[in-house]
């Protein structure tokens, strides 16, 4: 990009309108010059560049591009700018062609969403100066609306069958409850989460560490294509850019900020998924973990998370209760209700006083149960009507069915 490109648009475009006024644009959208400048800056600034984020906040995208492309010395006036850093930025500026990138993303059904656009998810502003310069988006749905009710499901790439099952089950269950599933389209838990949401006919978003027109990993080309058709594929990198190790880590901050909570299914101690969870904690989002076997190294990181601020969940309804609105309650968890559970305390003691075999008279039952003889006799008749005990001559015994089942003392017939 030449010094005359974006900076000159700033000084020239405004004169095209009568009286030098700015061209009228649709409400809730940024101007063309702003969009072109931010498109160019996605090639100049690395994701999460806090220096660039601070300069964007201080002088704006168009002015920042003008300073980076101009030789008038104003770039050196930016706080934190060094000759070495400026040289690196200017090396990248030479390859920035925003019109070409915007045409490339439009060719795959995409667009660039900038801060100030109606579609921009305002929760990303919680990242401060490390928020994305802009987001390249592929898909027809509205990013802001989908992000309002979204949950991240992340985990190990080399997950176990258990991890894949839990990720798919959680994603499909949440999708059926109307939640949007966000993940990173990687192998393992990420892929299982996307597939679970798609299988349920739900909504899912893939946040990539590369251009939205790049299928990475290649083995997920079909899956990413399905996500773009049924959901959204988003990323900070311009079209055709490829991922690096650092970009994967930086991508995780977008996943954490975009969603209401992050669910980690399987993760080792040194896992990028835990980076996402910790960033979610820092941002005040819910941090959630799915427990695994205590002996599994793939669940060790999740268990450490749960020992801290993480919340344990086992199914989609528990996640929805945590991140949802008032009234999104998970069903009560309890064991089976047995007939003996409905007995009052005295009846329960009387029943405990009967031997498992043979019969005993009411006086001996009263002595064992610690009650009076008359009270014991009354309770025995009550237990008889309920089918727990029966008469045996002058004595009482457990009903034969109860005795055979061995369940009278634990819960009745």
């Amino acid at each position: 990009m030449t010094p005359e490109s974006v900076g000159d648009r700033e000084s020239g475009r405004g004169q095209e309108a009568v009286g030098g006024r700015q061209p009228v644009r649709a409400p809730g959208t940024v101007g063309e010059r702003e969009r072109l400048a931010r498109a160019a800056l996605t090639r100049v600034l690395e994701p999460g560049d806090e220096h660039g984020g601070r300069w964007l906040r201080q002088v704006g995208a168009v002015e920042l591009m003008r300073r980076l492309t101009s030789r008038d010395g104003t770039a050196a006036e930016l706080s934190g700018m060094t000759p070495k850093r400026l040289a690196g930025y200017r090396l990248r500026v030479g390859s920035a062609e925003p019109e070409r990138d915007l045409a490339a993303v439009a060719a795959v059904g995409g667009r660039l969403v900038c801060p100030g656009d109606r579609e921009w998810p305002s929760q990303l502003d919680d990242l401060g100066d490390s928020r994305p310069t802009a987001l390249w988006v592929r898909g027809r749905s509205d990013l802001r609306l989908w992000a309002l009710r979204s949950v991240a499901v992340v985990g190990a790439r080399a997950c176990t069958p258990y991890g894949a099952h839990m990720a798919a089950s959680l994603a499909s269950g949440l999708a059926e409850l109307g939640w949007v599933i966000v993940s990173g389209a990687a192998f393992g838990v990420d892929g299982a989460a996307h597939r679970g949401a798609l299988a349920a006919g739900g909504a899912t978003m893939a946040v990539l560490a590369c251009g939205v027109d790049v299928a990475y990993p290649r083995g997920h080309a079909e899956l990413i294509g399905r996500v773009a058709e049924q959901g959204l594929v988003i990323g900070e990198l311009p079209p055709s850019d490829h991922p690096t190790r650092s970009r994967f880590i930086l991508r995780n901050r977008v996943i954490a900020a975009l969603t209401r909570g992050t669910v980690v299914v399987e993760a080792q101690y040194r896992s990028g998924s835990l980076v996402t969870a910790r960033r979610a904690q820092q941002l005040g989002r819910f941090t959630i973990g799915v427990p695994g076997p205590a002996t599994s190294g793939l669940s060790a990181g999740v268990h450490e998370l749960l020992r801290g601020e993480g919340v344990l969940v086992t199914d989609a309804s528990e996640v929805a209760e945590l991140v949802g609105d008032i009234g999104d309650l998970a069903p009560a968890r309890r064991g089976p209700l047995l007939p003996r559970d409905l007995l009052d305390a005295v009846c329960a003691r009387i029943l405990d006083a009967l031997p498992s075999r043979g019969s005993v008279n009411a006086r001996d039952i009263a002595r064992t149960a610690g009650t009076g003889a008359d009270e014991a006799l009354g309770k025995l008749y009550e237990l008889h009507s309920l089918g727990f005990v029966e008469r045996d001559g002058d004595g009482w015994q457990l009903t034969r069915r109860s005795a055979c089942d061995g369940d009278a003392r634990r819960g009745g017939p």
Side-chain angles (χ1 to χ4, degrees):
M1 174 174 284
T2 62
E4 299 82 28
S5 54
V6 173
D8 284 355
R9 289 191 185 92
E10 172 69 14
S11 59
R13 292 252 181 207
Q15 302 302 319
E16 296 173 3
V18 176
R21 291 177 296 177
Q22 296 296 320
V24 176
R25 63 175 181 266
T29 61
V30 300
E32 181 185 357
R33 287 165 292 169
E34 174 83 4
R35 193 174 306 282
L36 284 168
R38 286 189 177 268
L41 285 168
T42 61
R43 284 207 178 272
V44 177
L45 305 176
E46 274 292 299
D49 185 334
E50 294 192 5
H51 291 287
R54 183 171 65 253
W55 300 330
L56 279 168
R57 174 169 49 82
Q58 291 172 346
V59 303
V62 176
E63 174 63 13
L64 178 58
M65 277 302 299
R66 190 198 67 77
R67 294 192 187 195
L68 292 178
T69 56
S70 173
R71 300 291 176 175
D72 61 2
T74 54
E77 298 174 0
L78 295 168
S79 61
M81 182 65 80
T82 63
K84 183 178 179 180
R85 184 171 289 137
L86 180 57
Y89 288 142
R90 282 181 170 165
L91 188 63
R92 289 188 167 193
V93 163
S95 63
E97 296 183 39
E99 295 93 341
R100 182 195 62 185
D101 287 336
L102 289 168
V105 78
V108 294
R111 59 198 176 278
L112 183 69
V113 178
C114 303
D117 281 338
R118 186 195 60 79
E119 197 181 352
W120 179 258
S122 60
Q123 58 265 49
L124 291 178
D125 299 341
D126 293 346
L127 292 171
D129 289 339
S130 70
R131 78 173 182 179
T133 302
L135 286 175
W136 298 90
V137 181
R138 183 180 165 198
R140 295 183 295 271
S141 301
D142 188 291
L143 174 60
R144 185 184 69 84
L145 292 179
W146 275 31
L148 288 174
R149 190 175 169 84
S150 64
V151 179
V153 179
V154 298
R157 286 179 173 83
C159 68
T160 65
Y162 163 79
H165 168 76
M166 288 303 300
S169 176
L170 283 169
S172 61
L174 286 166
E176 290 172 353
L177 293 172
W179 289 90
V180 178
I181 305 303
V182 179
S183 199
F187 290 130
V189 166
D190 287 17
H194 289 306
R195 291 188 182 95
L198 291 170
T204 185
M205 293 193 290
V207 183
L208 305 185
C210 56
V212 294
D213 59 340
V214 177
Y216 189 90
R218 290 186 180 274
H220 275 177
E222 182 182 355
L223 175 62
I224 293 172
R226 289 180 61 202
V227 172
E229 275 293 316
Q230 192 168 321
L232 290 172
V233 176
I234 65 177
E236 297 178 78
L237 278 298
S240 77
D241 248 21
H242 290 272
T244 62
R245 183 182 294 272
S246 62
R247 287 173 173 178
F248 279 117
I249 298 299
L250 291 165
R251 178 269 311 270
N252 293 341
R253 83 191 194 290
V254 177
I255 295 177
L258 197 63
T259 55
R260 288 200 190 180
T262 295
V263 184
V264 185
V265 178
E266 281 187 326
Q268 294 178 311
Y269 286 121
R270 289 176 54 86
S271 170
S273 302
L274 295 182
V275 174
T276 309
R278 294 187 184 111
R279 196 57 188 266
Q281 282 182 341
Q282 294 168 2
L283 293 168
R285 311 295 197 263
F286 291 101
T287 305
I288 307 160
V290 177
T295 54
S296 172
L298 277 172
S299 291
V302 181
H303 295 159
E304 191 65 24
L305 185 70
L306 293 174
R307 281 168 54 84
E309 298 299 320
V311 179
L312 186 151
V313 298
T314 58
D315 63 18
S317 63
E318 292 176 350
V319 177
E321 179 181 68
L322 190 63
V323 302
D325 300 318
I326 295 175
D328 292 342
L329 300 177
R333 303 293 198 271
R334 59 182 302 172
L337 184 66
L338 301 176
R340 191 186 191 285
D341 299 332
L342 303 176
L343 298 178
D344 62 49
V346 177
C347 277
R349 293 209 311 272
I350 295 295
L351 191 59
D352 285 341
L354 271 77
S356 57
R357 296 181 181 277
S359 61
V360 64
N361 61 49
R363 186 174 295 275
D364 290 336
I365 292 172
R367 185 183 304 112
T368 303
T371 66
D374 291 339
E375 184 180 20
L377 187 61
K379 292 297 183 182
L380 283 167
Y381 277 107
E382 184 176 332
L383 289 168
H384 180 270
S385 67
L386 295 172
F388 285 96
V389 301
E390 60 187 13
R391 293 296 300 269
D392 180 33
D394 293 333
W396 295 86
Q397 65 181 15
L398 297 174
T399 59
R400 289 185 176 84
R401 183 179 55 171
S402 298
C404 292
D405 293 344
D407 197 35
R409 296 181 184 279
R410 297 191 303 273

